[in-house]
């Protein structure tokens, strides 16, 4: 392998000749051969926004020339397109402050600028007015906010809209309800679907609330929160640039000592992701149970048949999209535990569990956005009710007896239900045999459409 010699404050080191990173990136590559999970692409994109905004702010206060700032901005724009993704090889399992990733970004930007004839030092120019201790927390928030606003919420809104379409398609269809996994009183199918819709829409509101906390940035706090080496008003100048670039309402955290050491906003936002995951688990389970069969299960829903379900049982088709949703939900819940533990470790002036927090948050956001779109297009949009099975179960349910309670009383109604169950007869036959109502009175009273 052809190499070139780069140097940092620890001395010289050989770097692959075709790579645009420098000495500190190379040291991290060699010292942290752990796991192989790279820093999320979303974090690199967030850094490219942040370094661009910082360069523009530094130019405003005279710490960079227009040429230097322009070179940084141009490099950042290329990085955001994904053109240089292979120049960011560092793994999650590195220093807990993310210093090596910050320097990886600084070095790549400096080398890209050099390709165009602008000489930049990774620390003196690209990292001017900054510290890894305020840039990584800021990039973490930028990446999280962008993922929530641009990926998770839109996917959730599309899924909620699909449920609304299903809800409106069957306004009058009545089915039997179930509580405790046992028969309950009837409800409209549309009413059940409206519950599924709200199970998606409620976490959307929570995520939008969480965005206001994620939009508070640590930038300007530098090493320990005092803002050493950062110009006055620098934090607001950077955030103004970020607002213009991203369309999100980024603002400086008013207490940098909080911003550098606490990850409470990330915990809060991921809690909303976990709430969404929990609700998706409930929806997916409802759908796969109600579609179970086709002959020996509930069989009240038809879901799309997407692929063969068994390597041994011919003709078997499984609720695979529902299963994917439930696996994602489990993963998100595990990620939440990791983020919560990491956030509790903000010792003194810095939290040093930042890369693992970023990794888990971005994994959750990516999985949820992807699985909601997959679930919607490959399952929800193709759901149809099995009207005949719903009608059969509805009219054979003993819980229709509930509407008799006002006429014959709770105890007599319970006696009718138990007799029908024990004798294997219909509810109507039990009521008539006990002489509690006439056939006409029963038919007038037991009408499911009046019970919903």
């Amino acid at each position: 392998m052809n190499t070139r010699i780069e140097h940092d404050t620890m001395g010289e080191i050989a770097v692959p000749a075709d790579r645009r990173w420098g000495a500190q990136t190379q040291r991290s590559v060699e010292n942290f051969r752990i796991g192989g999970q790279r820093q999320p692409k979303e974090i690199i994109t967030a850094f490219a926004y942040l370094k661009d905004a910082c360069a523009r702010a530094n130019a405003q206060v005279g710490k960079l020339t227009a040429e230097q700032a322009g070179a940084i901005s141009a490099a950042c724009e290329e990085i955001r397109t994904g053109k240089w993704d292979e120049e960011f090889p560092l793994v999650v399992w590195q220093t807990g402050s993310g210093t090596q990733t910050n320097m990886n970004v600084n070095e790549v930007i400096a080398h890209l600028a050099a390709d165009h004839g602008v000489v930049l030092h990774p620390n003196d120019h690209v990292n001017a007015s900054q510290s890894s201790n305020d840039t990584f927390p800021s990039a973490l928030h930028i990446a999280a906010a962008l993922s929530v606003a641009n990926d998770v919420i839109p996917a959730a809104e599309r899924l909620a809209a699909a449920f609304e379409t299903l809800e409106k398609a069957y306004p009058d269809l009545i089915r039997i309800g179930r509580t405790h996994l046992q028969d309950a009183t009837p409800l409209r199918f549309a009413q059940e679907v409206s519950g599924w819709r709200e199970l998606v829409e409620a976490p959307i509101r929570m995520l939008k609330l969480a965005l206001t906390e994620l939009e508070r940035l640590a930038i300007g706090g530098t090493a320990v929160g005092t803002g050493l080496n950062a110009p006055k008003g620098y934090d607001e100048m950077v955030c103004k640039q970020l607002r213009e670039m991203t369309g999100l309402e980024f603002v400086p955290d008013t207490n940098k000592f909080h911003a550098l050491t606490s990850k409470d906003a990330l915990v809060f936002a991921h809690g909303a992701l976990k709430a969404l995951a929990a609700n998706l688990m409930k929806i997916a389970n409802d759908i796969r149970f109600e579609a179970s069969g086709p002959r020996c299960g509930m069989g009240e829903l038809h879901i799309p048949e997407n692929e063969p379900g068994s390597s041994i049982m011919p003709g078997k088709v499984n609720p695979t999209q529902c299963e994917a949703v439930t696996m994602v939900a489990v993963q998100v819940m595990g990620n939440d535990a990791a983020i919560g533990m990491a956030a509790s470790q903000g010792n003194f002036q810095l939290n040093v569990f930042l890369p693992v927090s970023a990794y888990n948050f971005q994994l959750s956001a990516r999985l949820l956005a992807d699985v909601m779109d997959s679930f919607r297009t490959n399952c929800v949009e193709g759901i149809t009710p099995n009207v005949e099975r719903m009608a059969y179960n509805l009219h054979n349910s003993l819980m229709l007896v509930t509407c008799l309670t006002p006429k014959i009383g709770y105890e007599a109604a319970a006696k009718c239900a138990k007799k029908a169950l024990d004798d294997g007869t219909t509810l109507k036959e039990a009521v008539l045999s006990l002489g509690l109502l006439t056939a006409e009175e029963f038919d007038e009273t037991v009408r499911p459409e009046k019970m919903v």
Side-chain angles (χ1 to χ4, degrees):
M1 179 178 67
N2 293 328
T3 62
R4 68 177 190 275
I5 299 300
E6 291 271 347
H7 78 278
D8 58 13
T9 57
M10 297 187 71
E12 294 184 340
I13 188 170
V15 174
D18 61 341
R19 291 304 182 188
R20 286 169 170 80
W21 63 68
Q24 292 197 49
T25 302
Q26 188 63 33
R27 293 190 194 283
S28 186
V29 168
E30 295 179 7
N31 291 335
F32 296 97
R33 302 183 187 277
I34 305 171
Q37 293 84 12
R38 288 189 180 187
Q39 287 287 341
K41 175 175 168 48
E42 295 88 349
I43 288 293
I44 304 304
T45 299
F47 261 111
Y49 276 117
L50 181 63
K51 295 294 178 179
D52 191 347
C54 287
R56 294 169 191 249
N58 279 320
Q60 288 179 38
V61 298
K63 293 193 75 168
L64 292 177
T65 67
E67 181 185 41
Q68 290 169 331
I72 292 172
S73 292
C76 288
E77 186 174 353
E78 288 190 0
I79 290 170
R80 292 196 294 269
T81 68
K83 180 178 180 180
W84 303 108
D85 284 354
E86 292 308 307
E87 301 301 322
F88 302 98
L90 302 191
V91 295
V92 172
W93 322 106
Q94 53 166 278
T95 179
S97 63
T99 298
Q100 281 106 30
T101 290
N102 180 48
M103 286 308 303
N104 181 195
V105 175
N106 291 337
E107 290 175 344
V108 171
I109 291 172
H111 279 86
L112 292 177
D115 289 346
H116 296 282
V118 181
V119 177
L120 297 176
H121 189 282
N123 296 80
D124 294 337
H125 300 119
V126 186
N127 203 62
S129 309
Q130 305 154 56
S131 163
S132 298
N133 294 355
D134 66 350
T135 58
F136 200 105
S138 296
L140 173 56
H141 274 212
I142 293 167
L146 287 171
S147 292
V148 167
N150 297 340
D151 300 324
V152 179
I153 289 177
E157 289 174 338
R158 289 189 291 269
L159 180 58
F163 281 127
E164 185 175 20
T165 297
L166 181 62
E167 178 185 347
K168 291 179 177 178
Y170 301 95
D172 301 318
L173 179 61
I174 300 174
R175 63 174 308 160
I176 199 64
R178 294 175 178 87
T179 59
H180 302 268
L181 301 183
Q182 305 296 308
D183 300 348
T185 56
L187 75 162
R188 296 186 190 278
F189 177 58
Q191 291 172 322
E192 179 179 40
V193 177
S194 76
W196 295 341
R197 172 177 51 78
E198 181 63 16
L199 283 163
V200 179
E201 291 179 341
I204 291 174
R205 295 193 297 272
M206 298 172 197
L207 286 166
K208 288 180 178 178
L209 184 62
L211 273 177
T212 62
E213 296 300 322
L214 289 176
E215 288 166 344
R216 299 176 185 272
L217 302 185
I219 196 67
T222 66
V224 296
T226 60
L228 179 67
N229 293 347
K232 184 178 181 181
Y234 179 74
D235 54 358
E236 173 52 34
M237 285 187 280
V238 173
C239 288
K240 181 176 184 295
Q241 295 293 334
L242 287 169
R243 290 194 293 271
E244 292 175 0
M245 282 189 269
T246 67
L248 297 182
E249 294 300 313
F250 292 111
V251 295
D253 194 308
T254 55
N255 189 316
K256 301 298 192 293
F257 308 103
H258 160 265
L260 266 61
T261 194
S262 174
K263 296 280 90 53
D264 48 12
L266 202 71
V267 172
F268 183 58
H270 198 275
L273 293 180
K274 183 174 71 169
L276 176 59
N279 286 358
L280 291 174
M281 174 78 85
K282 180 263 192 294
I283 294 168
N285 278 336
D286 281 0
I287 290 173
R288 65 173 169 172
F289 291 153
E290 291 176 10
S292 61
R295 293 189 174 178
C296 299
M298 290 174 64
E300 293 191 355
L301 293 180
H302 297 299
I303 59 175
E305 298 181 353
N306 297 323
E307 60 272 318
S310 174
S311 61
I312 190 174
M313 293 174 280
K316 193 172 191 294
V317 178
N318 295 330
T320 52
Q321 290 295 317
C322 295
E323 291 166 4
V325 170
T326 57
M327 286 192 290
V328 165
V330 167
Q331 183 65 58
V332 171
M333 291 173 190
N335 293 348
D336 191 74
I339 287 173
M341 286 294 294
S344 73
Q345 300 301 307
N347 304 128
F348 306 116
Q349 279 71 58
L350 188 67
N351 181 292
V352 291
F353 286 74
L354 300 182
V356 71
S357 299
Y359 175 74
N360 280 281
F361 191 98
Q362 291 304 323
L363 178 59
S364 291
R366 196 178 314 121
L367 286 173
L368 285 169
D370 287 351
V371 85
M372 284 189 289
D373 277 338
S374 180
F375 185 46
R376 172 179 55 83
T377 59
N378 296 308
C379 182
V380 175
E381 290 177 349
I383 290 175
T384 56
N386 184 338
V387 177
E388 294 76 16
R389 180 68 67 89
M390 283 187 179
Y392 175 82
N393 288 339
L394 173 67
H395 292 291
N396 279 276
S397 172
L398 300 179
M399 288 305 98
L400 296 179
V401 75
T402 305
C403 65
L404 294 177
T405 302
K407 256 189 176 317
I408 64 176
Y410 184 92
E411 291 191 11
K415 186 176 181 181
C416 293
K418 291 179 180 180
K419 179 174 177 58
L421 180 62
D422 292 342
D423 296 349
T425 64
T426 65
L427 182 61
K428 182 176 182 179
E429 290 171 331
V431 171
L432 295 180
S433 69
L434 290 173
L436 296 171
L437 293 173
T438 66
E440 291 75 15
E441 288 173 327
F442 182 93
D443 291 339
E444 176 60 29
T445 305
V446 184
R447 295 175 60 183
E449 65 273 14
K450 289 186 174 182
M451 302 174 69
V452 298

